[in-house]
Amino acid sequence: MLAWLSLLFTAAVLLVNLSPRRFYDAAFAVEGLVQRTLLRADDRLIDPVSGTVNRGNLYPADVPQLVVTSTKQPTQILYLKGFSGDDYYNGQWQEADDTAILQNINENTLHWGNWSDWLSNLYSSMYFVMNQMMIREEPLQPDILMVMPTTARQNQWYQPYFSIWRRDEGQGGYYYEFFEQKDVDIDWDNVPDQLTTARDWYYAIQNAYMQEAQNEYTQVSETDIPTLAQFVRDHPMEDLDQITGFILQTLEGATYTRTPGFFAMNEDPVEYFLFESGQGYCQHFASAAVLMYRLYGVPARYTAGYAVSPDDFVLREDGTYQAMVTDASAHAWPEIYLEDFGWVPVEVTPAADGTISPSYPGFDPEKVQQPDQAETTRPELEAEMPKEERKEPALSDRQQTRLMDAAPILPFIYLAAVCVLQVGPILWHLRKERKRRWLERGGSLRVFSRMMDMLHFGGWLGEYDGSESEVDINGTLWYKIAQLKIL
């Protein structure tokens, strides 16, 4: 038996050493099958929208999460925001709360006093209302969006950008009116005379919020991410488009995959993603971008929710467009605060062709550094361009190289395992023989004492401690042992 185990172990070591990629493919396939089975059996286990940056693989189960219905077919990716992150520490984003910011605005800038309750509602719908107030030759009609959860997580709301919540809920869902980003064009001087007072309120709120956001959403604990902080210091930039371009150049040194393996537990996952593994998915790309934006002084937040493609919407008989959103559409992205737009999404995760195409308002691709300029400013990651179509590599070239670098120690691991398998049973057998001879040398009393220890360990006959007389032992103890029916 031991010989067969040794042969099997030897064969396994050789197979892993000769073809590590297939080994990881098989391991990840089994892991993915188990996780998807569990998620499909109980969709309450699916939690795609949170502030946790995963340290392992991601296996969407393609379980429906939302039914999204729109009066028009979207022409841009529909970002449905469910979580925004503020403070970051070791792979965990704390949920952002603008309550303190709005309170500071009221106390230090606006001084609205008893009207402060209006502030939150005005701020949340500010850019939708301002865009709707604009004087245009042709009135711009917003889209109406109904979001209906299909799982047990009914208390999680997902909101499109440039939107306002409608109170007429129904059919188990909730409604928003919203504008697509391409249709947002706010000119503070281009409003009807009867709306100038409201315009002035919104303008004051925006200016005050921008100042507070500049302080709140540029905070980073550099001691927690020292390598990334030093990397940014080594490449100073000020212009927003240049900063964005440099972030994209940096992220293009990494590879998108949902199976990057497991991140080191003693390292920050963002730094490990950027400077060690070079592999990850949207959570890692987005977190890295947000931290870099903040280190450059740009207000940014980590955001999680769903990204729904226009192609996912299907025309229905009633003229509306509907999309079934599964957990495979769960996504994470950075959002930055822009004047006259508020918080806007910035896409930093590679598309199917490997390119990254941000589309925030006013972004000028011409300001992005040219490849030859960026070559010296990229982190210490191997170049992996041009990129292939998006795929899920189980083991990167870098990881495979590391495994091959460790090949010299594999024989020692093999020898140690063989020794444990072959010598271990021998030592166990010798220990048993030694104990048997110890009992024989002690005679019947030692055997009896050992038997009593075993009974006490099992919770029996605890009232006998060995000090009883021979009469008690012969008269009652053996009778009680016989009653136990264990000998």
Side-chain angles (χ1 to χ4, degrees), residues 126-419:
M126 175 167 54
Y127 295 101
F128 173 87
V129 175
M130 277 301 305
N131 195 56
Q132 195 175 40
M133 287 167 53
M134 294 297 98
I135 299 175
R136 294 182 172 89
E137 293 182 3
E138 296 184 7
L140 183 64
Q141 295 298 323
D143 296 357
I144 299 177
L145 192 76
M146 187 187 80
V147 181
M148 185 170 66
T150 61
T151 67
R153 298 182 183 277
Q154 301 285 341
N155 59 342
Q156 177 69 59
W157 285 43
Y158 300 94
Q159 180 178 3
Y161 288 85
F162 315 112
S163 66
I164 185 172
W165 173 58
R166 291 184 57 172
R167 295 184 179 276
D168 52 337
E169 298 183 40
Q171 304 179 32
Y174 46 92
Y175 291 81
Y176 288 100
E177 291 183 64
F178 78 102
F179 292 106
E180 290 192 290
Q181 181 175 287
K182 64 179 178 59
D183 295 325
V184 177
D185 183 16
I186 296 175
D187 180 356
W188 298 93
D189 296 325
N190 187 31
V191 298
D193 292 339
Q194 67 270 24
L195 297 177
T196 55
T197 299
R199 182 271 316 273
D200 293 342
W201 290 350
Y202 285 124
Y203 190 71
I205 293 173
Q206 172 180 260
N207 291 340
Y209 186 90
M210 286 176 59
Q211 295 179 4
E212 294 292 335
Q214 185 65 42
N215 295 327
E216 176 67 22
Y217 296 114
T218 57
Q219 298 296 318
V220 180
S221 178
E222 296 188 12
T223 56
D224 296 329
I225 49 171
T227 306
L228 181 57
Q230 185 61 49
F231 175 70
V232 169
R233 283 194 296 268
D234 291 341
H235 306 92
M237 295 185 183
E238 297 181 359
D239 181 87
L240 174 59
D241 287 350
Q242 289 182 345
I243 291 171
T244 299
F246 180 70
I247 291 174
L248 300 183
Q249 297 280 345
T250 301
L251 295 177
E252 284 177 353
T255 300
Y256 178 92
T257 174
R258 284 175 173 164
T259 53
F262 297 97
F263 288 25
M265 295 301 296
N266 61 339
E267 295 188 36
D268 179 88
V270 174
E271 291 208 332
Y272 185 81
F273 160 69
L274 280 177
F275 303 107
E276 291 292 332
S277 72
Q279 289 197 33
Y281 37 92
C282 59
Q283 297 175 11
H284 310 111
F285 282 86
S287 295
V290 172
L291 293 175
M292 291 185 71
Y293 270 127
R294 290 189 174 190
L295 289 168
Y296 278 118
V298 177
R301 301 194 302 199
Y302 173 88
T303 312
Y306 292 95
V308 189
S309 171
D311 296 336
D312 294 334
F313 286 86
V314 178
L315 178 63
R316 302 201 303 169
E317 292 182 359
D318 61 0
T320 62
Y321 292 84
Q322 190 173 90
M324 178 67 71
V325 182
T326 72
D327 61 316
S329 295
H331 193 46
W333 61 90
E335 59 179 11
I336 60 176
Y337 196 86
L338 297 180
E339 186 175 4
D340 299 343
F341 292 94
W343 292 107
V344 297
V346 182
E347 188 56 74
V348 297
T349 301
D353 60 358
T355 61
I356 305 176
S357 301
S359 59
Y360 63 79
F363 176 65
D364 184 4
E366 297 297 328
K367 292 186 177 181
V368 178
Q369 290 183 337
Q370 298 300 317
D372 57 341
Q373 293 176 295
E375 195 66 33
T376 59
T377 59
R378 194 170 296 172
E380 295 298 328
L381 297 175
E382 296 177 7
E384 299 187 60
M385 300 292 287
K387 292 181 179 290
E388 303 173 351
E389 292 185 0
R390 179 181 293 190
K391 58 183 181 179
E392 314 269 339
L395 187 64
S396 69
D397 293 338
R398 186 176 298 102
Q399 290 171 318
Q400 188 172 8
T401 300
R402 286 181 177 177
L403 188 59
M404 291 307 180
D405 291 340
I409 68 172
L410 290 178
F412 296 100
I413 298 176
Y414 166 70
L415 290 176
V418 170
C419 290

